[in-house]
Amino acid sequence: MKKLILATVFILGGFSIQAQEKLNKNAKYEIEVNGNCDMCQGRIQKAAFSVQGVKSANWSPDTHKLNLILNEEKATILDIKKAVAKAGYDTDEVKATNENYDKLPGCCQYDRK
């Protein structure tokens, strides 16, 4: 009987180990962020870096793409999109509130969709 219980514990323990998802400590993402200029670049990157776990953030005014490297154990891509939206910039998934958008300087107020 002890052998049966012990075997069951090992089998169930093996299944629980397989069920755990490995999170990437250097996950790479590219997201679209609306903006216009170099001032936007500084604000967008600062907003991204405000999220714990972001290792690299580089936004291009030409492509409107924010390239990220983040530790998925500390942050999600949604956390970053929310931080960028809070700074006044729309992302592909999270839109800035009108209040936050209106706080942007005139040159940074992009055409909203």
Side-chain angles (χ1 to χ4, degrees), residues 13-49:
F15 286 129
S16 68
I17 290 172
Q18 288 178 344
Q20 292 178 0
E21 184 180 337
K22 277 275 194 190
L23 297 175
N24 191 344
K25 291 185 179 183
N26 289 305
K28 294 181 181 181
Y29 289 95
E30 181 179 86
I31 61 173
E32 185 175 338
V33 180
N34 292 325
N36 291 328
C37 61
D38 290 339
M39 286 176 51
C40 295
Q41 182 180 40
R43 282 190 192 86
I44 291 167
Q45 292 175 181
K46 182 178 178 180
F49 278 118

Side-chain angles (χ1 to χ4, degrees), residues 63-74:
T63 64
H64 293 211
K65 300 289 182 186
L66 176 61
N67 292 297
L68 298 160
I69 298 175
L70 71 120
N71 181 342
E72 291 180 322
E73 292 177 351
K74 296 182 179 182

Side-chain angles (χ1 to χ4, degrees), residues 40-64:
C40 295
Q41 182 180 40
R43 282 190 192 86
I44 291 167
Q45 292 175 181
K46 182 178 178 180
F49 278 118
S50 73
V51 178
Q52 184 180 7
V54 173
K55 295 180 176 185
S56 174
N58 186 14
W59 182 79
S60 169
D62 298 328
T63 64
H64 293 211

Side-chain angles (χ1 to χ4, degrees), residues 3-15:
K3 288 182 181 179
L4 181 61
I5 293 172
L6 191 57
T8 304
V9 168
F10 281 121
I11 291 171
L12 293 176
F15 286 129

